[in-house]
Structures are given as C-alpha cells and as structure tokens.
Amino acid sequence: METDGLEWLLVPVRQLVAWGAAGAMVFGGVVPYIPQYRDIRRTQNAEGFSTYVCLVLLVANILRILFWFGRRFESPLLWQSIIMIITMLLMLKLCTEVRVSNDLNIKRRSFAAADSKDEEIKAPPKRSYLDFDLNYFWHWSKFTDYVQCVLTFTGVTGYITYLWLDSSLFVETLGFLAVFTEAMLGVPQLYRNYQNRSTEGMSVKMVLMWTSGDTFKTVYFILNQAPLQFSICGLLQVFVDIAILLQVYLYSSYPQKPTSHTAHPASTKAL
C-alpha cells in the first residue's frame, strides 16, 4: 500500500518536472539575450554585439522547422525555434536602429534595390534586383531589409524541402545543417572579440547563460533520445561557449591593443 501511495505522489511530480523541462527548452534559449538587449538599449551602442549571431540563429531555426516536416521531433524544440526567430528579429531591429542613429553619415545599404522614391539610395536602372555587395551583407540600414532576406531564404529553402521531402538523405542532411549551424552560434562573437582584442560591449551574462543553457540543452537531447545530430552539435556549442569565456578572462587579465583593420574597413564594419 505504501508503495502505491508513493507512486501516486511521484506521478504528478514527474509530470511537473517534465513540463518544467519543456518550458525551459522553449523559453530558456532566449533568456541569454535579455541582458544584451537591455545593455544595447541602455548604452545606445551595439558595437560589442555581432549581428551575425542573429543570422546564425535565424538560419539554424528556420532549417530546424523545415526538418520537423520531414522527421517529427518533440514539440518543445519546434516551439523553441519559433520563439528564437521572433527574438532574433527583435534584436536585429534594435541593433539596426541604434547603429543608424549613431552613424548618421553611413551610406545607406539595402537588401532589395530602392525604388524611384527612395532619395537615400540612387541605384542605376539596371540594378533592379538585389544588392550583392558582400562587404555590406547583413549590414543594411533598415530592419525591413533583414525581414525581406529572412522571408526570401525561408521561401527558397521551404520550396526545396517540399520537393525533396520524400528523400531520407535530404531530410537527415537538413537536420544536420540545422543543428550544425546553431552549433556555430558563438563563432561570430568569438571572431569579433579576437578582432577587437577585447570583449568590451559584449554581455558576459549572455555568454554565461549560453553556456548553462547549451549544457542543459545537450543533456536534454541525450536523455530524450533526440536525433544524434542534436547531441553532437550541442556538445560543439558548449565548447565554443567555453572558448568565449576564456577570451573574457584573457582580455581582461592581459589587455591588448586592437589590431588595425584599415585595409578592410567594410568587412570590419560588417561584423
């Protein structure tokens, strides 16, 4: 009888733990960006944060959602991707507004060519499609340009996925690309810190939350027997987070002069 009574108590406890873990998976991924968002908003300076982090997460989560159509995984992971896409768009909106307001003399760049009413960009008549200036890719002047780019990428990859959805090889490759891209999340920030020889402007709280969140996520993948790609790339993500934390220690303990990038000013700005 005692065993039955104990089991009766454990069932709701296990259910609550499962719900809590699922909730942490859905919303835990966006929590690290709250302190960074607040720092940018407070200081009106987005130079320390690489918007390529947003690009990586947008691509990764769009691919993960498409992967779900070919191989159904747990719903919390699907909802996590949707919430993350919304969060990254909000981060991009803030960073774009801050960057443009701080640099009034910046040459206006856009994803799509301007129309005749646009007084800021005088595009030649023949350039009626996209601006393929790679030096300024993902460094546009309007938030709507980022939205256009994301929608274009979603449409193209969605159509390709629809055509190849019956191919198990394509679906598994899509899943690998999704989680591998997400595993590279910290690389743009790692590179930016290396370029600046400093982590100033980057929220250390954000990286600490990355590390704890990625560790939890990887354990969650393993325990819930998620596709193998998820577990492998989760471990890779943890290693990148640790590398960024090592940069925080090295650059704060042994300050270095930033490397000059006068030869490539455009590529430096783009990051």
Side-chain angles (χ1 to χ4, degrees):
M1 292 293 291
E2 288 186 10
T3 305
D4 292 341
L6 186 60
E7 187 66 25
W8 181 80
L9 287 173
L10 287 176
V11 169
V13 170
R14 288 172 183 165
Q15 189 64 48
L16 286 174
V17 171
W19 287 345
M25 280 301 300
V26 173
F27 297 103
V30 305
V31 171
Y33 299 96
I34 295 175
Q36 184 69 71
Y37 186 94
R38 295 178 64 183
D39 285 350
I40 294 173
R41 189 158 190 158
R42 176 176 54 83
T43 62
Q44 289 297 295
N45 186 346
E47 289 301 315
F49 177 72
S50 174
T51 54
Y52 279 89
V53 169
C54 301
L55 173 61
V56 169
L57 279 174
L58 285 168
V59 170
N61 284 283
I62 289 169
L63 292 179
R64 187 197 284 184
I65 291 173
L66 295 175
F67 176 55
W68 182 84
F69 288 99
R71 182 176 175 184
R72 301 297 171 91
F73 47 79
E74 291 195 330
S75 296
L77 298 178
L78 178 64
W79 282 107
Q80 181 197 52
S81 292
I82 295 171
I83 298 296
M84 184 61 75
I85 289 172
I86 295 171
T87 302
M88 288 303 101
L89 290 175
L90 291 174
M91 286 291 295
L92 278 174
K93 186 174 187 297
L94 176 65
C95 290
T96 305
E97 290 172 352
V98 168
R99 185 174 66 245
V100 172
S101 65
N102 288 344
D103 194 354
L104 298 177
N105 294 322
I106 188 172
K107 184 178 180 180
R108 299 306 189 219
R109 298 281 175 172
S110 63
F111 172 70
D115 57 29
S116 59
K117 295 180 181 179
D118 192 333
E119 297 179 355
E120 294 179 328
I121 307 174
K122 300 297 184 181
K126 290 184 179 180
R127 296 196 66 180
S128 57
Y129 297 102
L130 302 181
D131 181 359
F132 286 108
D133 187 345
L134 292 179
N135 290 326
Y136 287 92
F137 176 78
W138 208 249
H139 194 73
W140 301 306
S141 307
K142 294 180 180 179
F143 173 65
T144 52
D145 293 307
Y146 293 96
V147 175
Q148 289 177 32
C149 181
V150 170
L151 291 176
T152 301
F153 175 78
T154 304
V156 172
T157 53
Y159 181 67
I160 294 172
T161 302
Y162 173 75
L163 294 177
W164 291 87
L165 199 57
D166 293 333
S167 169
S168 58
L169 177 61
F170 173 82
V171 171
E172 292 301 325
T173 302
L174 185 66
F176 174 77
L177 288 175
V179 291
F180 181 75
T181 304
E182 185 175 358
M184 296 294 102
L185 163 65
V187 172
Q189 192 65 56
L190 187 75
Y191 180 66
R192 188 182 188 90
N193 295 341
Y194 172 75
Q195 274 195 318
N196 295 339
R197 298 292 192 271
S198 169
T199 57
E200 185 179 355
M202 181 196 74
S203 172
V204 179
K205 292 179 182 177
M206 177 186 71
V207 182
L208 287 171
M209 290 180 183
W210 273 358
T211 309
S212 59
D214 292 337
T215 302
F216 169 82
K217 180 172 63 177
T218 304
V219 173
Y220 181 90
F221 290 157
I222 295 171
L223 294 180
N224 287 274
Q225 298 180 339
L228 183 62
Q229 304 102 311
F230 284 57
S231 301
I232 294 174
C233 293
L235 288 170
L236 179 58
Q237 206 165 348
V238 172
F239 291 143
V240 174
D241 296 340
I242 293 173
I244 296 177
L245 289 175
L246 285 174
Q247 283 184 322
V248 173
Y249 170 75
L250 289 173
Y251 294 147
S252 59
S253 301
Y254 309 98
Q256 303 178 42
K257 291 182 179 180
T259 304
S260 175
H261 297 282
T262 54
H264 303 283
S267 58
T268 303
K269 265 191 169 185
L271 293 174

